[in-house]
């Protein structure tokens, strides 16, 4: 199932309005239910990032927004990608909001 | 010999404590005792398994590898006794284990059904993954169900059963949904959703008894005299902390296990955290039990740190809860209850479809709200300080409000505008919070430079 979804998304990547963004999480809202990872076409363990309030720096992320949309707790959101984010899983979300 | 930490309960508090101990001490021996057969899973996530949004295995939030790499030893056995004097716990298989520090994180469980017939097959609770799986199995045959209880779990049962094509009756003891937290308008938003979904709401109705055939639930007799043919009866009328172990061991308990600000119980080297612990709450000025996921995580972490020798007092954060009620996101922060006692007269301001603003000069609490369709913002203000808030739908204010409430910020600069209602509440609050945030961030950076 996941492999199929993954293949599909590579063959026909969905258009993304989120170029230049990155998925951020507000850990206190996360209940670790796993819906985010389940809805991720790249099978990224989004919950791992979310529960720690880290940016989803996994290079496979295609910014499709599924996880953000499906999270039942409003934990995940897009922020402009800070410089060097891939190497540095940083800013706390409240600081991140100030960029917006 | 490295210290041996034993943790009873593999839930949010127990596992958070174990992981925190490991973060601080790479030599410690850490053992978790669990009477459930699974690895750590998301209890709130059970609702989404029930509703069919995720398969059961997806709620499991740690892999065997996570336990291995952190060298946390999980024993799937019930702890039957604690022997505080010997510093030992007794397992269901008779084994005795010696601890240097012990954490009781046994959580809470659903209050049993209050009516005759409670032992019939088909009375269901949503506490554990096994129960959730059992409910899913039963929904394959069941056609009609009744659910009792206010709050989140009852609603999640209703939504889950409905999603699995079981015709569901939702019985409310009072005249509206979650009357102890929500305002009338907020209850109405949820009730309208329920009715639209095809749920049958019965207000001011209770189950008097449940009758069965061959040991199986067959009909519910209601306080209205009605007889409701049902296959399942869901019960979510509250939770009770699992304190039996602690009581038997002679630990001081009230509703939960009483702990001090270091999360220590009355017995040496025994700590408690999560749903089972009754902790000091600066908001109410009392020792209180919580049944909240974020509180379980935070208190578990704090207990773990203290067990590992940190000696840090734990200050309970603002009570905070996020839930999805019939597809509508809700965040409740701080003293969010809409109900009040007689001596706390309320001022109300409203826009859109709700009531008109009336003022009482002597009021202690000020309530500001805006309701628009199925979106609502409600603020509770005391002595010009924001002390509580409830958001339905619109969530962008959740973080700002939580921070403002936690810091006890004086709202005076925007209070007149909020009261007049001449500008959108969201904009006022967001601008105010941004300015406050910039100010505090700059201030803290300056202090860093000084050092
Ligand atoms: C369906 C559902 C929905 C929820 N939704 C929300 C929500 O939306 N928001 C929110 O904030 N909270 C929610 N909660 C509450 C939240 O899940 C709890 O507050 C949290 O799980 C408490 O964590 P804990 O570690 O204290 O206890 P638990 O998670 O209950 O873990 C305790 C563990 O200890 C085990 N145990 C007990 N006694 C023994 C013994 N003698 N020996 C060995 N093991 C033992 C138990 O079996 C259990 O596995 C929900 C709960 C449920 C059930
Ligand atoms: S879906 Fe949301 S709440 Fe659930 S694990 Fe992912 S981020 Fe956390
Ligand atoms: S944005 Fe899409 S690809 Fe990226 S983590 Fe979320 S679901 Fe996965």
């Amino acid at each position: 199932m996941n492999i199929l979804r993954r293949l599909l998304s590579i063959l026909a990547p969905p258009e993304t309005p989120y170029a230049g963004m990155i998925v951020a999480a507000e850990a206190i809202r996360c209940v670790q239910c796993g819906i985010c990872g389940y809805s991720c076409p790249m099978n990224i363990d989004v919950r791992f990032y979310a529960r720690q309030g880290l940016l989803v720096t996994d290079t496979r992320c295609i910014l499709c927004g599924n996880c953000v949309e499906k999270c039942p707790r409003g934990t995940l959101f897009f922020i402009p990608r800070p410089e060097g984010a891939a190497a540095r899983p940083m800013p706390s979300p409240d600081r991140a909001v100030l960029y917006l | 010999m490295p210290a041996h930490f034993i943790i009873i309960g593999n839930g949010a508090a127990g596992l958070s404590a174990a992981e925190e101990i490991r973060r601080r001490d790479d030599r410690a021996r850490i053992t978790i005792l669990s009477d459930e057969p699974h690895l750590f899973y998301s209890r709130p996530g059970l609702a989404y398994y029930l509703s069919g949004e995720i398969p059961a295995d997806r709620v499991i939030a740690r892999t065997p590898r996570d336990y291995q790499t952190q060298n946390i030893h999980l024993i799937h056995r019930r702890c039957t006794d604690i022997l505080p004097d010997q510093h030992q716990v007794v397992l269901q298989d008779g084994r005795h284990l010696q601890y240097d520090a012990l954490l009781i994180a046994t959580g809470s469980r659903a209050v049993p059904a209050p009516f005759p017939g409670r032992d019939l097959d088909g009375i269901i609770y949503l506490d554990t993954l096994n129960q959730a799986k059992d409910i899913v199995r039963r929904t394959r045959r069941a056609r009609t169900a009744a659910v009792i209880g206010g709050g989140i779990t009852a609603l999640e049962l209703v939504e889950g059963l409905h999603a699995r094509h079981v015709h569901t009756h939702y019985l409310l003891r009072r005249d509206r949904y979650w009357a102890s937290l929500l305002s009338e308008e907020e209850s109405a938003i949820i009730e309208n959703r329920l009715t639209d979904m095809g749920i049958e709401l019965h207000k001011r109705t209770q189950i008097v008894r449940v009758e069965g055939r061959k040991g199986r639930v067959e009909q519910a007799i209601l306080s209205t005299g009605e007889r409701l043919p049902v296959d399942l009866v869901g019960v979510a009328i509250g939770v009770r902390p699992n304190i039996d172990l602690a009581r038997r061991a002679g630990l001081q308990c009230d509703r939960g296990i009483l702990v001090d600000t270091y999360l220590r119980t009355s017995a040496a080297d025994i700590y408690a955290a999560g749903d089972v612990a009754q902790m000091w709450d600066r908001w109410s000025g009392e020792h209180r039990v919580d049944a909240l996921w974020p509180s379980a995580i935070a208190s578990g972490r704090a207990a773990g740190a203290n067990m590992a020798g940190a000696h840090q007092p734990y200050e309970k954060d603002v009570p905070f809860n996020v839930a999805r009620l019939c597809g509508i996101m809700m965040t409740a922060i701080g003293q969010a209850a809409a109900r009040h006692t007689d001596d706390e007269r309320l001022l109300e301001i409203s826009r859109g479809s709700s009531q008109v603003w009336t003022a009482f000069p002597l009021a202690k609490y000020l309530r500001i709200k805006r309701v628009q369709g199925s979106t609502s913002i409600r603020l509770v203000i005391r002595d010009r300080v924001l002390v509580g808030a409830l958001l339905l739908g619109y969530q962008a204010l959740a973080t700002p409000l939580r921070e403002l409430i936690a810091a006890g910020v004086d709202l005076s600069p925007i209070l007149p505008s909020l009261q007049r209602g001449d500008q959108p509440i969201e904009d006022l609050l967001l601008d105010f919070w941004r300015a406050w945030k910039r100010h505090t961030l700059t201030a803290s950076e300056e202090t860093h430079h000084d050092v």
Side-chain angles (χ1 to χ4, degrees):
Chain A
M1 174 65 188
N2 272 324
I3 296 170
L4 193 68
R5 279 193 293 169
R6 228 156 126 177
L7 266 173
L8 273 175
S9 64
I10 293 168
L11 293 174
E15 289 202 1
T16 173
Y18 302 114
M21 310 282 266
I22 190 164
V23 178
E26 195 184 354
I28 194 175
R29 296 179 81 94
C30 177
V31 288
Q32 306 190 32
C33 65
I35 291 183
C36 46
Y38 183 60
S39 57
C40 174
M42 307 310 287
N43 206 15
I44 295 170
D45 184 6
V46 187
R47 162 168 59 193
F48 170 84
Y49 299 89
R51 69 179 161 87
Q52 302 177 76
L54 302 175
L55 297 174
V56 180
T57 48
D58 192 307
T59 48
R60 291 172 299 165
C61 175
I62 54 165
L63 300 172
C64 68
N66 278 2
C67 57
V68 175
E69 188 197 323
K70 291 277 165 59
C71 169
R73 305 271 159 166
T75 307
L76 303 169
F77 53 97
F78 280 106
I79 61 163
R81 190 183 188 90
E83 238 176 277
R88 179 173 52 103
M90 193 276 290
S92 70
D94 45 1
R95 250 171 193 272
V97 174
L98 290 177
Y99 297 127
L100 300 181
Chain B
M1 268 284 269
H4 189 194
F5 297 98
I6 298 184
I7 294 162
I8 313 173
N10 186 35
L15 186 74
S16 301
E19 293 183 340
E20 184 63 25
I21 295 172
R22 180 55 75 223
R23 219 174 54 78
R24 290 166 178 269
D25 182 345
D26 50 16
R27 292 189 57 231
R29 287 169 60 213
I30 304 175
T31 305
I32 301 183
L33 307 176
S34 173
D35 63 357
E36 289 193 74
H38 315 285
L39 299 180
F40 172 72
Y41 64 87
S42 167
R43 221 168 277 284
L46 296 178
Y48 312 129
Y49 160 54
L50 193 57
S51 64
E53 285 162 86
I54 34 169
D57 61 350
R58 283 287 176 156
V59 300
I60 293 172
R62 293 293 185 284
T63 59
R65 250 189 88 88
D66 290 328
Y67 286 86
Q68 274 159 23
T69 48
Q70 298 188 85
N71 197 9
I72 294 170
H73 186 46
L74 178 61
I75 304 181
H76 291 288
R77 288 283 182 284
R78 188 174 174 73
C79 170
T80 53
D81 270 301
I82 302 170
L83 310 172
D85 294 339
Q86 287 99 309
H87 273 52
Q88 284 181 355
V89 290
V90 185
L91 273 51
Q92 147 202 47
D93 54 17
R95 259 187 291 172
H96 285 231
L97 299 180
Q98 195 81 30
Y99 62 78
D100 293 289
L102 175 72
L103 176 68
I104 308 178
T106 47
S108 53
R109 64 169 177 279
V111 172
F115 43 73
R118 70 177 71 87
D119 298 323
L120 288 167
D121 187 35
I123 307 280
I124 53 173
Y125 302 90
L126 183 59
D127 270 350
T128 66
L129 181 50
N130 281 359
Q131 284 173 341
K133 286 182 175 171
D134 174 61
I135 296 174
V136 169
R137 255 193 309 273
R138 286 171 185 274
T139 55
R140 294 194 194 118
R141 275 177 285 121
R143 305 171 81 179
T144 315
V147 175
I148 61 165
I152 301 175
T153 320
L155 200 71
E156 288 175 340
L157 266 170
V158 169
E159 291 185 66
L161 291 168
H162 173 77
R164 291 187 181 267
H165 312 293
V166 179
H167 184 65
T168 305
H169 297 261
Y170 186 18
L171 277 50
L172 298 171
R173 195 158 50 92
R174 284 188 249 175
D175 54 359
R176 60 191 180 86
Y177 172 67
W178 210 348
S180 58
L181 176 70
L182 301 181
S183 71
E184 277 172 34
E185 293 95 332
E186 290 156 0
S187 297
I189 291 173
I190 307 299
E191 288 166 19
N192 290 340
R193 274 285 170 107
L194 284 169
T195 318
D196 290 348
M197 284 162 62
I199 308 292
E200 292 201 37
L201 271 181
H202 303 248
K203 295 183 177 179
R204 282 194 221 89
T205 308
Q206 282 171 274
I207 292 181
V208 180
R209 65 174 189 282
V210 174
E211 292 176 351
R213 239 184 78 178
K214 295 189 188 153
R216 282 236 183 109
V217 167
E218 194 184 48
Q219 59 177 349
I221 316 298
L222 310 184
S223 52
T224 52
E226 201 182 335
R227 289 170 169 267
L228 213 58
V230 288
D231 308 300
L232 299 172
V233 176
V235 181
I237 51 173
V239 291
R240 214 170 264 165
N242 291 322
I243 56 173
D244 342 358
L245 259 184
R247 265 241 163 89
R248 270 207 310 280
L251 271 54
Q252 265 181 31
C253 297
D254 176 35
R255 283 201 56 178
I257 304 172
L258 288 167
V259 292
D260 67 8
T261 47
Y262 299 93
L263 302 168
R264 294 178 297 207
T265 67
S266 59
D269 303 317
I270 304 183
Y271 297 72
D275 281 8
V276 77
Q278 193 168 339
M279 305 174 238
W280 175 252
D281 172 32
R282 68 188 148 126
W283 303 92
S284 58
E286 290 168 19
H287 280 80
R288 284 263 169 107
V289 284
D290 269 349
L292 292 177
W293 180 267
S295 308
I297 301 265
S299 64
R301 249 180 224 151
N306 283 330
M307 290 164 79
H311 205 70
Q312 282 166 2
Y314 169 65
E315 189 152 281
K316 244 167 80 164
D317 210 343
V318 198
F320 176 83
N321 196 10
V322 186
R324 197 186 55 184
L325 310 171
C326 304
I328 304 173
M329 205 83 85
M330 179 204 79
T331 303
I333 316 163
Q335 299 176 323
R339 241 166 30 130
H340 52 95
T341 58
D342 291 343
D343 65 337
E344 292 162 351
R345 284 200 269 158
L346 294 175
L347 291 175
E348 288 201 27
I349 183 175
S350 58
R351 296 172 75 217
S353 58
S354 50
Q355 290 168 305
V356 189
W357 149 254
T358 43
F360 300 95
L362 288 175
K364 273 189 180 164
Y365 282 88
L366 174 67
R367 192 155 63 122
I368 294 175
K369 66 185 179 189
R370 201 207 67 170
V371 183
Q372 224 171 38
S374 54
T375 299
S376 133
I377 301 171
R378 178 160 55 78
L379 310 176
V380 185
I381 297 166
R382 183 173 191 163
D383 297 332
R384 314 182 79 75
V385 172
L386 188 62
V387 293
L390 194 131
L391 303 171
L392 272 185
Y394 184 71
Q395 295 293 304
L397 283 174
T399 304
L401 291 176
R402 181 168 55 78
E403 295 190 350
L404 292 173
I405 291 169
V409 176
D410 187 332
L411 283 189
S412 293
I414 53 166
L415 208 49
S417 286
L418 282 175
Q419 285 175 311
R420 277 198 307 275
D422 51 5
Q423 284 180 58
I425 291 189
E426 306 90 299
D427 296 353
L428 275 172
L429 287 166
L430 274 176
D431 288 345
F432 179 75
W433 167 76
R434 281 208 184 95
W436 170 78
K437 191 82 190 165
R438 278 208 187 89
H439 179 75
T440 45
L441 285 177
T442 332
S444 74
E445 263 155 30
E446 271 164 13
T447 352
H448 279 293
H449 287 307
D450 290 347
V451 175

